[in-house]
Structures are given as structure tokens and as C-alpha cells.
Amino acid sequence: MSETIVLEPVAEDRAASLLSVRIGWRNLWRNRRRTWLTTGGIAFSVLLVMFFMSMQFGQYAIMIDSATSLMAGQVQVQSSRYLQDSRFEDTIVEATPLIRLLQENRHIVSVAPRVEAFALVSADERSFGAQILGIDQAAELETVRYVKMLKTGSNLAGPDDAVLGSVLARNLGVAPGDEVVVLGSGKEGGIAALVLTVVGLLETGMADLDRSLLLAPLSTVQAGFGLGDEVHTLVVRMDDLSSSDRVVTQLTEQLPDALTVRAWQEILPELKQAIAVDKIGGQIMYWIIMVLVMFSVVNSFIMTVFERTREFGMMLAIGMRPRAIVAMLQWEALFLWVIGTAIGAGLASLLIIWLHDVGIYMGEQMEDYAKQFYMPARLYPGFSREVLTVAPLAMLVGTQVAALIPSLRIRRLRPIVALRTT
Amino acid sequence: MSDVVVRCSGISRTYQEESVPVQALQDVDFEVCKGEFISLAGPSGSGKSTLLNIIGGLDRPDKGDVEVAGVKLNDLNESELSDLRLQKMGFVFQAYNLIPVLSARENVEFIMQLQGVSPAERASRATAVLEQLGVEGMADRRPGELSGGQQQRVAVARAIVTRPVLLLADEPSANLDSATTRELLEMLRTLNETHGVTIVAATHDPIVMSYARRQVNLRDGRIVEDKQNEAA
Ligand SMILES: Nc1ncnc2c1ncn2[C@@H]1O[C@H](COP(=O)(O)OP(=O)(O)OP(=O)(O)O)[C@@H](O)[C@H]1O
Ligand SMILES: [Mg+2]
């Protein structure tokens, strides 16, 4: 009788052995043209997606920068209660030490304190409701742009100066040199009355502001409305938009609970939404590009598997497991991805870095427009983690899936049938 | 010579794939003992490859039992059959035996890696077996850079390096000229006689039959003759 031989289990080494990896790599170079076409497709789509994404992000950076630097700032600090009810008496008390504290943060470029009040502004017989902003002229200039948008006259200098929105001034029939009277209610319920001299008119292009804004020196407004070292809002300019989230978290921890710190996404939710909508549009285009490339990868793997059926039959016959062959093809897909993505991401990075220096000229019209609003006239690409990772990772998943689809056939392949194919 | 390595009893195999079912094997009884060198002869379509594939665990009979090295193949699932082929069988086919992107040495090492043999042992066994088959000088060449005869030798090296209980060859000489065939058969005879490798080869080739010590003739899926070859 024959000796009985027990089949010992085979080491796990089988699934991902070194030689399988080597086979996968060398197989790429069996059909160089196909490999270069496939990797070229991957490279091209990675390049395209990374480039467009970075331009898109660059555009968002400009949008955010121009929107926040107009008036709102990138970060604001307010009393939590003021934020809820907008009541005049819910101020930030002891504003000066708080400002100093904020200025110590290395990501914060400048802090502009504001007192915000509603009052009746009169000149001769005419009266209009106005938004009174008590500002620190120098800090405001460092922080935002709207104060520079003078139509005529000059910025605040003396304690009784006022700068009016151009439409408000027209409605009141005043020009620089004329006097206006501000009447409102102060903190303790007393009457706030100021007599100011118009020194300049503001034209921001924003109807709301031009119709209702009256700027006066911070200390004048504080005194007139019965406030001490108190303000309603601290408007913060950041060194870099990307640090605003981190600084908000940091300040929220650092400051008392009575204060709320908000970043631009909360201050200008409509801007955040506009960007989100635009991103979806971009994503649709990116997915179309990537799906098209995936089809070509799937196609190339279908051909590979088809051509190598007899070879796979032999491998199965000598005792290689189907899943080890599938794993080998996954390695091939991984190598295709590495090559394609390295080329695509490399070229995209070079392009982005170059454009980061020179920018893209947006045309004369844009240049005029940009100058008018103190915006950059050129579009610069933006770099972000998303730009760097989305396309490569999508391609990684895509190539692995693309290789898996045709190689599932291998699981049903019977070695003798495969060996008979010609 | 009484150790039975293969025992087939009453095996039949019918292919249903075509419109007319083909009876490739009909009620075949067949035994292989340890140390034998058998040729399976017969005209084309007589069932040689079918029998070889069933013995090798590549195909299953519709009827009958197959036992190889004490293991009943009928009871094994596909994965177990795969492991059996890896550990107990050596295969040499007519062509496309080798992985084209691996060198001769790597082809021989590959199967040992599938078995989980350690790298050091793989290297020394590969060197030894390539030497044994006279292809040590070709170790770093890929199959495409080898002649047909050299490729078949590497295939034999790959088949025996795992020390299988059975070496199965299907038309191993089909693509070789007669001189090369004789060289290959001398090798196989040496392996059989001095190393005790049990060999079953399906063939039309009279040269192969002349080297085998036992010849089994098939016709229409039945064994019609089973004789010892005194001249071999
Ligand atoms: N997968 C298959 N599907 C259908 N019929 C098959 C299949 N494999 C073999 N046959 C048929 O079974 C019979 C026996 O085939 P087999 O390959 O065993 O013969 P053989 O003796 O090896 O022939 P050859 O000398 O041509 O290799 C033949 O009639 C063949 O056509
Ligand atoms: Mg045959």
C-alpha cells in the first residue's frame, strides 16, 4: 500500500510573494506601447485634474480674500450675546487689553475695533437713519479696504470728523466741509448727540454701505454713546487664510466664554456656499475625466488578461492559487498608477509652481476691475492638500478596481481550458 | 516496485461541451507504481491527455475513483487540488511551460516560493537542479532566449525541484527535433533510474515510447495494451 501523505497547508507567502511582484513589474514592459499609453492616460488626467483644481482653488482664494478684506475681515470677535440679539449694550468690555492679546498671535496681522450703532443723521431739514461705525482709522486701514474707497475728500483725522457713504451724503445734501448732527440712544438709555464735520465721501459700490454708512473716530463715538473701553466687534486680518481655522480654535479656547470668535465661513456664509456649489461643478468635470481614463485602464487589463490566458492556465496548473494571480495583476495596476501619477503629479507641480510665480494674466478688463477693488490682477494657482491628493487617490482606487474587473475572470478560469486556448 | 503512487479505478470522462458528447475515457483502470517510467501512447483523441489531467488533479472524472499518493482526489475541493498539484506533482507541457518574464532560475525558484521554501534553500536547490539538467549556463536567460530543448529542460527542472511524487509530461517532445528529444529523454531516464522519479508521459513520439520502460496504449478512451518495454 502506498504511503499516505497529508497535505500540509501552504505558507501565506503564496499570495504576495516577491517574484509575483517582479512578474507584475516586468509584465509592464512586455507591451511597452500599451503601458505608455495607459500610464500616459493616467498622467494626463492627473495633470489635468490637479491643474484645474489648483486654478479653481486659486480663484477661491481671490474670492475669499477680496470678500473678507473689503470690510468683514477673516476673523471676528464679538460678545456672544451681541451676536445673538444685536443689542447695543452687549459690548466687549476692556477692549484695549484684548486687542493687545490678539496682536500677540503671530498669525494675526492687524485688529480693527468697531463700535456699531444706529442713529439718525441730520443736515438742515433732512434726516436719515444711518449705521454709525466708530473706527480706529489706522487699524481699519491696515485691516480692510473699504476705508480707502474715497470718492472725494479725505479720511478721518480730527476727533469731530466724519466720512459718509456717498448716497447718504447726497440724500442729506452734504459735501465735505458741511456739518451733520447724529442723534441716537446711548448705552444707559441716555441721548447720544454728536456734531461732526464731513471730511470725505465713501463710494464702495455696495448700495447698502453707500446709503447708510457714517464713519467717525472710535473714541468720539464711544464717548458720545456712553461707552467706556468698549467695542462691538474686533475685525481681524490674518497673515494667511489657511491659518484662520486654527486661530479660531486657539482663540476660542483662550478667550472667555462670553466672547465668540468666528472665521470668514461663518461671517460670510453665502461666500462659503457659493464656493461649495462651484466645487461640485468642478468635481463633475474631474470625475468625467477620471472615468474616461478608467475605461482605458479596464480595457488595457482586459487585453492583458486575454493575451495571457494560457500563461495563467499554466500557473494555475502548477498550483498557483487564482487569488495569487489576481494579486499579481493588482501589483501591475499599482505600478501603472505609480508611474502615471508620478509623471502627472510631477508635471502638474512644475506647472503650478511656475504659475505661482508668474500668475495668469486675466485680460485688460480684469486688470482695471482689479485695480479698482484693490485686488490682484492675475490669477495664481492655489496649493492645498485637496489639490495634491484627490486626483492621485482617485486614480489609485480607480486603477485597482480597473484591474480587478477583468481579473475576476481568472477566478473562474479552469487550467486545462486555459491551457488549450490558442 | 509495489508501492502504488496512482490508482485509477473505473474512471470515465465525457465532454459535454460540444453538441455531441465525447467519451474521452471509458471505464479505465490504471495503476502507477513508484519508480516507473510510463508512456501513454495512442492516436490523437484517444484520451491520453484526459487521463494525464485526471491523474494530475487538473480534471475530474465523471465516474470512478482516483487516488494519488494515498489521497483520494474525488474528496478534494479546488483549493486542495491546487495544493496537491503544487506539492505532489511536477508538470511538463508541450509548450508555454515557463513564465516568460522570469529567468530560468527565477522560474525554478518561483514554484518553491509558492511552496514557501526559504530563500537560501530555494537558491541552492535551483542551482543544483539546473546543473543536473545541464542548463546552469542559461540560468539568467529568459525563456525567449532559450532553444526549445533548453526550455523543456528548464521545465523539467521546475517540475522536479519540488521533489514531486509524480512527474507528468504531456507531449514533452512535440516541439523538439529528434536529437534534442533524445537528449531530453536521456535526462528523464537518468532522473528515473538514479533519482527514482516516477514519470508518466503522454506522447505520439516513438522516441519517447522507446525510452519508457512501460507503454500503455489507449484507443477511443480505453486501454487496449499495457506492456513492459524490454529494450528500454
Ligand atoms: N475540453 C474539452 N472539450 C471537449 N472535448 C474535449 C476536451 N478535451 C478533450 N476533448 C475530446 O476528448 C477526446 C480525448 O481528448 P484528449 O485530449 O484526451 O486526447 P489525446 O489522446 O490527448 O489527443 P492528442 O494526441 O491529440 O493530444 C478527444 O476527442 C477530444 O476532442
Ligand atoms: Mg493530448
Side-chain angles (χ1 to χ4, degrees), chain A residues 288-306:
Chain A
I288 290 173
I289 294 173
M290 300 222 232
V291 165
L292 286 178
V293 171
M294 279 317 130
F295 275 118
S296 88
V297 177
V298 171
N299 187 47
S300 126
F301 269 94
I302 287 174
M303 293 204 288
T304 300
V305 170
F306 184 73

PDB file of all heavy atoms in Angstrom, chain A residues 288-306:
ATOM      1  N   ILE A 288     -15.642  62.953 -14.663  1.00  0.00           N
ATOM      2  CA  ILE A 288     -15.783  62.533 -16.061  1.00  0.00           C
ATOM      3  C   ILE A 288     -14.408  62.197 -16.633  1.00  0.00           C
ATOM      4  O   ILE A 288     -14.212  61.143 -17.240  1.00  0.00           O
ATOM      5  CB  ILE A 288     -16.489  63.631 -16.894  1.00  0.00           C
ATOM      6  CG1 ILE A 288     -17.956  63.710 -16.469  1.00  0.00           C
ATOM      7  CG2 ILE A 288     -16.373  63.331 -18.385  1.00  0.00           C
ATOM      8  CD1 ILE A 288     -18.729  64.858 -17.089  1.00  0.00           C
ATOM      9  N   ILE A 289     -13.438  63.082 -16.383  1.00  0.00           N
ATOM     10  CA  ILE A 289     -12.080  62.820 -16.888  1.00  0.00           C
ATOM     11  C   ILE A 289     -11.565  61.491 -16.346  1.00  0.00           C
ATOM     12  O   ILE A 289     -11.064  60.635 -17.079  1.00  0.00           O
ATOM     13  CB  ILE A 289     -11.117  63.950 -16.463  1.00  0.00           C
ATOM     14  CG1 ILE A 289     -11.502  65.260 -17.142  1.00  0.00           C
ATOM     15  CG2 ILE A 289      -9.675  63.576 -16.790  1.00  0.00           C
ATOM     16  CD1 ILE A 289     -10.705  66.462 -16.656  1.00  0.00           C
ATOM     17  N   MET A 290     -11.743  61.290 -15.047  1.00  0.00           N
ATOM     18  CA  MET A 290     -11.163  60.094 -14.426  1.00  0.00           C
ATOM     19  C   MET A 290     -11.874  58.830 -14.900  1.00  0.00           C
ATOM     20  O   MET A 290     -11.228  57.808 -15.128  1.00  0.00           O
ATOM     21  CB  MET A 290     -11.241  60.213 -12.920  1.00  0.00           C
ATOM     22  CG  MET A 290     -10.477  61.445 -12.460  1.00  0.00           C
ATOM     23  SD  MET A 290      -9.515  61.179 -11.004  1.00  0.00           S
ATOM     24  CE  MET A 290     -10.039  62.490  -9.994  1.00  0.00           C
ATOM     25  N   VAL A 291     -13.194  58.912 -15.055  1.00  0.00           N
ATOM     26  CA  VAL A 291     -13.922  57.718 -15.515  1.00  0.00           C
ATOM     27  C   VAL A 291     -13.473  57.350 -16.928  1.00  0.00           C
ATOM     28  O   VAL A 291     -13.267  56.172 -17.245  1.00  0.00           O
ATOM     29  CB  VAL A 291     -15.454  57.948 -15.447  1.00  0.00           C
ATOM     30  CG1 VAL A 291     -16.190  56.882 -16.243  1.00  0.00           C
ATOM     31  CG2 VAL A 291     -15.919  57.934 -14.001  1.00  0.00           C
ATOM     32  N   LEU A 292     -13.270  58.371 -17.774  1.00  0.00           N
ATOM     33  CA  LEU A 292     -12.795  58.083 -19.132  1.00  0.00           C
ATOM     34  C   LEU A 292     -11.449  57.353 -19.089  1.00  0.00           C
ATOM     35  O   LEU A 292     -11.229  56.382 -19.809  1.00  0.00           O
ATOM     36  CB  LEU A 292     -12.654  59.388 -19.933  1.00  0.00           C
ATOM     37  CG  LEU A 292     -13.973  60.021 -20.371  1.00  0.00           C
ATOM     38  CD1 LEU A 292     -13.716  61.326 -21.111  1.00  0.00           C
ATOM     39  CD2 LEU A 292     -14.757  59.054 -21.258  1.00  0.00           C
ATOM     40  N   VAL A 293     -10.557  57.835 -18.238  1.00  0.00           N
ATOM     41  CA  VAL A 293      -9.253  57.191 -18.136  1.00  0.00           C
ATOM     42  C   VAL A 293      -9.410  55.765 -17.597  1.00  0.00           C
ATOM     43  O   VAL A 293      -8.756  54.827 -18.072  1.00  0.00           O
ATOM     44  CB  VAL A 293      -8.312  58.010 -17.238  1.00  0.00           C
ATOM     45  CG1 VAL A 293      -7.038  57.239 -16.953  1.00  0.00           C
ATOM     46  CG2 VAL A 293      -7.989  59.324 -17.904  1.00  0.00           C
ATOM     47  N   MET A 294     -10.311  55.607 -16.633  1.00  0.00           N
ATOM     48  CA  MET A 294     -10.528  54.265 -16.072  1.00  0.00           C
ATOM     49  C   MET A 294     -10.966  53.277 -17.139  1.00  0.00           C
ATOM     50  O   MET A 294     -10.556  52.133 -17.126  1.00  0.00           O
ATOM     51  CB  MET A 294     -11.603  54.325 -14.971  1.00  0.00           C
ATOM     52  CG  MET A 294     -11.055  54.792 -13.667  1.00  0.00           C
ATOM     53  SD  MET A 294      -9.495  54.009 -13.357  1.00  0.00           S
ATOM     54  CE  MET A 294      -8.559  55.411 -12.952  1.00  0.00           C
ATOM     55  N   PHE A 295     -11.814  53.742 -18.060  1.00  0.00           N
ATOM     56  CA  PHE A 295     -12.239  52.845 -19.129  1.00  0.00           C
ATOM     57  C   PHE A 295     -11.035  52.345 -19.908  1.00  0.00           C
ATOM     58  O   PHE A 295     -10.953  51.172 -20.261  1.00  0.00           O
ATOM     59  CB  PHE A 295     -13.225  53.548 -20.064  1.00  0.00           C
ATOM     60  CG  PHE A 295     -14.647  53.478 -19.584  1.00  0.00           C
ATOM     61  CD1 PHE A 295     -15.348  54.623 -19.263  1.00  0.00           C
ATOM     62  CD2 PHE A 295     -15.274  52.244 -19.431  1.00  0.00           C
ATOM     63  CE1 PHE A 295     -16.647  54.558 -18.791  1.00  0.00           C
ATOM     64  CE2 PHE A 295     -16.582  52.170 -18.967  1.00  0.00           C
ATOM     65  CZ  PHE A 295     -17.262  53.327 -18.646  1.00  0.00           C
ATOM     66  N   SER A 296     -10.086  53.232 -20.163  1.00  0.00           N
ATOM     67  CA  SER A 296      -8.924  52.799 -20.935  1.00  0.00           C
ATOM     68  C   SER A 296      -8.055  51.848 -20.115  1.00  0.00           C
ATOM     69  O   SER A 296      -7.447  50.928 -20.654  1.00  0.00           O
ATOM     70  CB  SER A 296      -8.126  54.002 -21.447  1.00  0.00           C
ATOM     71  OG  SER A 296      -7.174  54.394 -20.501  1.00  0.00           O
ATOM     72  N   VAL A 297      -8.022  52.055 -18.794  1.00  0.00           N
ATOM     73  CA  VAL A 297      -7.253  51.134 -17.948  1.00  0.00           C
ATOM     74  C   VAL A 297      -7.939  49.758 -17.913  1.00  0.00           C
ATOM     75  O   VAL A 297      -7.287  48.722 -18.061  1.00  0.00           O
ATOM     76  CB  VAL A 297      -7.076  51.691 -16.522  1.00  0.00           C
ATOM     77  CG1 VAL A 297      -6.344  50.694 -15.644  1.00  0.00           C
ATOM     78  CG2 VAL A 297      -6.319  53.008 -16.552  1.00  0.00           C
ATOM     79  N   VAL A 298      -9.257  49.765 -17.745  1.00  0.00           N
ATOM     80  CA  VAL A 298     -10.001  48.500 -17.759  1.00  0.00           C
ATOM     81  C   VAL A 298      -9.735  47.777 -19.072  1.00  0.00           C
ATOM     82  O   VAL A 298      -9.424  46.584 -19.109  1.00  0.00           O
ATOM     83  CB  VAL A 298     -11.524  48.736 -17.584  1.00  0.00           C
ATOM     84  CG1 VAL A 298     -12.296  47.441 -17.813  1.00  0.00           C
ATOM     85  CG2 VAL A 298     -11.837  49.270 -16.203  1.00  0.00           C
ATOM     86  N   ASN A 299      -9.824  48.529 -20.155  1.00  0.00           N
ATOM     87  CA  ASN A 299      -9.609  47.950 -21.474  1.00  0.00           C
ATOM     88  C   ASN A 299      -8.229  47.324 -21.595  1.00  0.00           C
ATOM     89  O   ASN A 299      -8.071  46.207 -22.089  1.00  0.00           O
ATOM     90  CB  ASN A 299      -9.788  49.059 -22.516  1.00  0.00           C
ATOM     91  CG  ASN A 299      -9.746  48.506 -23.918  1.00  0.00           C
ATOM     92  OD1 ASN A 299     -10.406  47.506 -24.195  1.00  0.00           O
ATOM     93  ND2 ASN A 299      -8.951  49.110 -24.763  1.00  0.00           N
ATOM     94  N   SER A 300      -7.230  48.039 -21.090  1.00  0.00           N
ATOM     95  CA  SER A 300      -5.877  47.522 -21.201  1.00  0.00           C
ATOM     96  C   SER A 300      -5.720  46.249 -20.364  1.00  0.00           C
ATOM     97  O   SER A 300      -5.009  45.317 -20.759  1.00  0.00           O
ATOM     98  CB  SER A 300      -4.877  48.620 -20.840  1.00  0.00           C
ATOM     99  OG  SER A 300      -4.000  48.200 -19.845  1.00  0.00           O
ATOM    100  N   PHE A 301      -6.400  46.187 -19.220  1.00  0.00           N
ATOM    101  CA  PHE A 301      -6.310  44.969 -18.411  1.00  0.00           C
ATOM    102  C   PHE A 301      -7.098  43.812 -19.027  1.00  0.00           C
ATOM    103  O   PHE A 301      -6.687  42.662 -18.917  1.00  0.00           O
ATOM    104  CB  PHE A 301      -6.760  45.239 -16.973  1.00  0.00           C
ATOM    105  CG  PHE A 301      -5.623  45.645 -16.104  1.00  0.00           C
ATOM    106  CD1 PHE A 301      -5.331  46.970 -15.893  1.00  0.00           C
ATOM    107  CD2 PHE A 301      -4.806  44.678 -15.542  1.00  0.00           C
ATOM    108  CE1 PHE A 301      -4.244  47.346 -15.135  1.00  0.00           C
ATOM    109  CE2 PHE A 301      -3.727  45.043 -14.771  1.00  0.00           C
ATOM    110  CZ  PHE A 301      -3.445  46.389 -14.566  1.00  0.00           C
ATOM    111  N   ILE A 302      -8.207  44.126 -19.693  1.00  0.00           N
ATOM    112  CA  ILE A 302      -8.953  43.060 -20.371  1.00  0.00           C
ATOM    113  C   ILE A 302      -8.049  42.427 -21.433  1.00  0.00           C
ATOM    114  O   ILE A 302      -7.945  41.207 -21.537  1.00  0.00           O
ATOM    115  CB  ILE A 302     -10.246  43.616 -21.013  1.00  0.00           C
ATOM    116  CG1 ILE A 302     -11.261  43.919 -19.912  1.00  0.00           C
ATOM    117  CG2 ILE A 302     -10.822  42.618 -22.010  1.00  0.00           C
ATOM    118  CD1 ILE A 302     -12.525  44.595 -20.403  1.00  0.00           C
ATOM    119  N   MET A 303      -7.337  43.273 -22.175  1.00  0.00           N
ATOM    120  CA  MET A 303      -6.441  42.746 -23.207  1.00  0.00           C
ATOM    121  C   MET A 303      -5.324  41.930 -22.583  1.00  0.00           C
ATOM    122  O   MET A 303      -4.984  40.850 -23.054  1.00  0.00           O
ATOM    123  CB  MET A 303      -5.880  43.889 -24.040  1.00  0.00           C
ATOM    124  CG  MET A 303      -6.946  44.563 -24.868  1.00  0.00           C
ATOM    125  SD  MET A 303      -6.282  45.407 -26.302  1.00  0.00           S
ATOM    126  CE  MET A 303      -5.481  46.803 -25.565  1.00  0.00           C
ATOM    127  N   THR A 304      -4.742  42.466 -21.503  1.00  0.00           N
ATOM    128  CA  THR A 304      -3.652  41.756 -20.827  1.00  0.00           C
ATOM    129  C   THR A 304      -4.095  40.368 -20.379  1.00  0.00           C
ATOM    130  O   THR A 304      -3.426  39.375 -20.642  1.00  0.00           O
ATOM    131  CB  THR A 304      -3.206  42.559 -19.581  1.00  0.00           C
ATOM    132  OG1 THR A 304      -2.758  43.821 -20.013  1.00  0.00           O
ATOM    133  CG2 THR A 304      -2.102  41.852 -18.833  1.00  0.00           C
ATOM    134  N   VAL A 305      -5.255  40.323 -19.710  1.00  0.00           N
ATOM    135  CA  VAL A 305      -5.733  39.044 -19.182  1.00  0.00           C
ATOM    136  C   VAL A 305      -6.034  38.087 -20.332  1.00  0.00           C
ATOM    137  O   VAL A 305      -5.698  36.905 -20.284  1.00  0.00           O
ATOM    138  CB  VAL A 305      -6.979  39.271 -18.292  1.00  0.00           C
ATOM    139  CG1 VAL A 305      -7.635  37.951 -17.942  1.00  0.00           C
ATOM    140  CG2 VAL A 305      -6.585  40.013 -17.030  1.00  0.00           C
ATOM    141  N   PHE A 306      -6.630  38.625 -21.380  1.00  0.00           N
ATOM    142  CA  PHE A 306      -6.978  37.802 -22.526  1.00  0.00           C
ATOM    143  C   PHE A 306      -5.723  37.206 -23.166  1.00  0.00           C
ATOM    144  O   PHE A 306      -5.640  36.008 -23.412  1.00  0.00           O
ATOM    145  CB  PHE A 306      -7.742  38.661 -23.534  1.00  0.00           C
ATOM    146  CG  PHE A 306      -8.237  37.892 -24.712  1.00  0.00           C
ATOM    147  CD1 PHE A 306      -9.312  37.011 -24.576  1.00  0.00           C
ATOM    148  CD2 PHE A 306      -7.639  38.039 -25.950  1.00  0.00           C
ATOM    149  CE1 PHE A 306      -9.772  36.292 -25.660  1.00  0.00           C
ATOM    150  CE2 PHE A 306      -8.090  37.319 -27.039  1.00  0.00           C
ATOM    151  CZ  PHE A 306      -9.154  36.440 -26.902  1.00  0.00           C
TER     152      PHE A 306
END
